[in-house]
Amino acid sequence: MKYGPVPIDQAQGALLAHSITASGKRIRKAHILSAEDIETLRAAHIEQVVVAILEEGDIEENEAATRIAAALEFSGAQAKPATTGRVSIFAERAGLFTVNKALVDAINEIDPDATLATLAPYVSVTPGQMIATLKIIPFAMSSSAVEAIVQLAAGRSAFAVHAFQPHQVGLVQTVLPGMKESVLDKTSQTTKSRLLRSGSNICDELRTPHTAKDVADAIHDLAARSDMVLIFGASSLSDPEDDVIPAAIRASGGKVLRSGMPVDPGNLFVLGEHEGKPVLGAPGCARSARPNGFDWALDRIFAGIGVTSHDIAAMGVGGLLMEIPSRPQPRGAPPPSDHPKVHAVVLAAGRSSRMGGPNKMLALFDDEPLVHRTAARVLATKADGALLVTGHQRELVEAALQDLDLRLVHNPAFADGLSTSLKTAIAAVPDSADGALIVLGDMPNITSEDMDLLIHEFRTSGGTSIVRAVSNGKRGNPVILPRSLFETVAGLHGDIGARHLVETSELDIIDVEIGADAAVDVDTPEALAKAGGRNVV
């Protein structure tokens, strides 16, 4: 493949390298230039364009991606048609994701022009969630490399989504004198919520004294009329052999397969079985809705994969989960600051793909570009500093901001998704900042006062909590991420933003109600018109 600028007289039949607007017509990137396109360019006095010219043995990016995707074997998922050299694959059902790492690594070794990225193994997924993406980086790829990947993938399962199967669950809670009934009730409710993702439910619950005999009787009773038994002990596991839960499993006629888990939170987990049915001793952290090692074991069982002592032993790498702020003495938590500093970041790098051509950042609201409107309001807040991330149509966006005293940071990888802009922004936040106010550039109704409410709550809470704008109790934007999450941002990929961090974090979340504006963005022409804006570029 030849790539570079050529006179338009030589461009017919070549692939356009960058989208271009000429004589009122938009010609998209990777479009094969026709004679009509050449005349349009000539009428706009464009003398040369940057193109890719395929040579013998080259396969155009979408065809290459389609061929490789067709060779991949997977289940429980569906591949979307190739576009801009990318095939994305989405889960068809709720379940647990597994992946053949050796095969994915081997595919990625063949030719850097073809990249296959997936979720981490044993991640719980929901229907419609992206689980893998195949990207051809240049406009074309050699047929020999494509064929090598196709042959490597043939007959080998690459990844799968194992559907969750509903289970009837028996619940045992042990009780000691003075234990509050409200704690037991909350644990029941939290457990019911935890089971929802698999369609499982609690078929019966027994509350017993904290003795091995009483718990053994409960296990025997519930195992006869359920698919598995969960046990919450009134005191923490101290002795893997003689503590109440492992002793009760043995006394019931069952087996203890493992006591202890190299996942934190989740260390005090017990894995057992009774007449072939799982019996799980839940760690104390499972009384909280926050993810912990207990969830990892549950998901494998619900997905039909099962969990063994060996599986649990292999969970240590990656098993250091985020700290639970509710612990009396959180390990490694930063001390609250007397006056936490907040640095605001505006994300304005996206391609506005759903807008159908125009850049929404340059849409006018009362004759003011949206990106200028958002940035000016951010600068008027009580934040300690601000920056804006550019990407798509960088020069036009920067021109719209030239009168503002605002630091601009460019994201050259903006086309790879929202996560790249968030990573660019967080990397540019000063070391002195305790938190970052993440502002989406396409929310026209968010005011300086709205953002100051979030900043006030962040500072009042000591600068260690997540602060999120909500609309009628529903999650929205902007959001403030404390510094403890900055390192986690670096691990994000694809079209994932701050919401993913908020939903998976162990940190406290403070919701600030700001009304409907927290949920109003302008991703489409219809949404833009409804919000009072109009496209110009």
Side-chain angles (χ1 to χ4, degrees):
M1 181 186 72
K2 295 180 180 179
Y3 178 88
V6 299
I8 60 170
D9 292 339
Q10 302 174 23
Q12 185 173 336
L15 297 173
L16 185 63
H18 306 289
S19 297
I20 189 170
T21 299
S23 301
K25 177 182 177 182
R26 182 173 178 80
I27 307 176
R28 295 186 178 278
K29 173 184 175 182
H31 173 73
I32 299 176
L33 293 170
S34 65
E36 181 183 350
D37 297 325
I38 299 301
E39 290 305 316
T40 299
L41 295 171
R42 184 177 287 111
H45 305 291
I46 296 174
E47 297 180 355
Q48 69 174 20
V49 287
V50 179
V51 299
I53 301 174
L54 273 59
E55 299 180 298
E56 184 177 355
D58 287 339
I59 300 178
E60 182 268 337
E61 58 179 353
N62 285 332
E63 183 182 350
T66 299
R67 288 191 192 181
I68 294 173
L72 292 173
E73 295 192 8
F74 52 85
S75 60
Q78 182 180 30
K80 297 297 183 182
T83 178
T84 64
R86 183 184 298 277
V87 171
S88 293
I89 302 170
F90 298 84
E92 292 183 313
R93 56 201 183 194
L96 200 66
F97 176 75
T98 58
V99 59
N100 183 341
K101 182 179 184 300
L103 175 58
V104 173
D105 289 348
I107 288 172
N108 287 323
E109 281 281 358
I110 289 179
D111 191 324
D113 285 350
T115 65
L116 176 61
T118 76
L119 295 179
Y122 301 111
V123 169
S124 173
V125 299
T126 56
Q129 181 177 344
M130 186 188 295
I131 61 171
T133 184
L134 170 69
K135 172 65 176 175
I136 307 302
I137 295 176
F139 290 97
M141 186 174 173
S142 71
S143 57
S144 60
V146 172
E147 184 58 27
I149 295 175
V150 167
Q151 290 185 10
L152 177 65
R156 302 171 66 185
S157 175
F159 41 81
V161 176
H162 303 264
F164 286 139
Q165 301 297 323
H167 282 58
Q168 296 294 312
V169 178
L171 177 62
V172 181
Q173 293 200 69
T174 70
V175 183
L176 289 172
M179 193 168 187
K180 293 182 179 180
E181 196 76 14
S182 61
V183 173
L184 303 176
D185 293 341
K186 182 178 179 181
T187 300
S188 296
Q189 188 57 50
T190 299
T191 303
K192 289 178 182 177
S193 299
R194 181 169 260 117
L195 300 178
L196 284 177
R197 64 177 175 268
S198 65
S200 302
N201 66 280
I202 297 174
C203 62
D204 198 3
E205 177 182 353
L206 298 177
R207 296 180 179 179
T208 74
H210 189 66
T211 70
K213 180 182 183 307
D214 288 299
V215 176
D217 291 342
I219 293 172
H220 192 274
D221 182 8
L222 291 177
R225 45 198 173 92
S226 65
D227 300 315
M228 65 184 301
V229 178
L230 303 183
I231 308 170
F232 283 87
S235 66
S236 299
L237 176 73
S238 298
D239 189 319
E241 295 295 325
D242 299 325
D243 252 324
V244 166
I245 292 178
I249 294 173
R250 294 189 183 94
S252 73
K255 294 186 294 185
V256 176
L257 305 178
R258 187 179 184 94
S259 294
M261 169 183 276
V263 181
D264 188 6
N267 293 147
L268 307 182
F269 170 79
V270 178
L271 174 65
E273 65 175 25
H274 178 89
E275 297 182 353
K277 296 180 179 180
V279 180
L280 308 183
C285 59
R287 295 184 187 273
S288 163
R290 303 293 190 186
N292 60 80
F294 179 57
D295 292 288
W296 292 9
L298 280 180
D299 284 346
R300 293 196 190 201
I301 293 171
F302 291 152
I305 296 174
V307 62
T308 66
S309 177
H310 176 76
D311 293 331
I312 293 174
M315 292 179 180
V317 176
L320 180 58
L321 305 181
M322 292 184 182
E323 184 57 80
I324 299 178
S326 58
R327 278 180 172 151
Q329 293 181 319
R331 297 186 284 274
S337 172
D338 292 335
H339 182 79
K341 292 184 177 180
V342 178
H343 203 86
V345 300
V346 181
L347 305 184
R351 294 178 293 176
S352 303
S353 55
R354 294 176 61 190
M355 198 60 71
N359 187 343
K360 62 186 175 182
M361 291 294 113
L362 302 174
L364 296 182
F365 285 78
D366 298 327
D367 294 325
E368 180 183 17
L370 175 56
V371 68
H372 187 282
R373 176 189 181 109
T374 303
R377 290 180 176 181
V378 167
L379 289 173
T381 68
K382 296 177 181 178
D384 298 281
L387 62 87
L388 182 142
V389 180
T390 64
H392 178 56
Q393 295 186 335
R394 173 185 183 181
E395 294 80 6
L396 295 176
V397 172
E398 290 181 350
L401 300 168
Q402 59 184 344
D403 65 317
L404 298 180
D405 184 15
L406 179 67
R407 182 185 174 196
L408 302 180
V409 181
H410 183 60
N411 170 24
F414 66 88
D416 292 335
L418 180 59
S419 65
T420 63
S421 291
L422 184 57
K423 288 191 281 190
T424 299
I426 292 300
V429 169
D431 292 340
S432 59
D434 298 292
L437 170 64
I438 311 299
V439 182
L440 303 182
D442 65 347
M443 300 185 71
N445 298 332
I446 297 297
T447 67
S448 302
E449 291 75 18
D450 293 332
M451 291 180 273
D452 279 341
L453 288 175
L454 273 66
I455 292 171
H456 173 76
E457 289 296 333
F458 182 76
R459 288 173 174 160
T460 301
S461 67
T464 58
S465 300
I466 297 170
V467 180
R468 173 178 61 185
V470 298
S471 171
N472 194 26
K474 295 182 179 179
R475 63 193 182 193
N477 283 292
V479 61
I480 299 180
L481 301 180
R483 176 163 288 279
S484 59
L485 286 181
F486 286 10
E487 187 173 333
T488 308
V489 171
L492 296 179
H493 299 283
D495 200 26
I496 294 176
R499 175 176 292 181
H500 174 77
L501 295 180
V502 173
E503 292 175 348
T504 59
S505 170
E506 294 289 344
L507 299 179
D508 282 333
I509 300 173
I510 301 173
D511 285 338
V512 178
E513 179 65 52
I514 66 172
D517 295 340
V520 176
D521 58 22
V522 290
D523 279 343
T524 64
E526 295 77 15
L528 179 69
K530 185 177 180 180
R534 59 186 178 89
N535 276 317
V536 292
V537 178

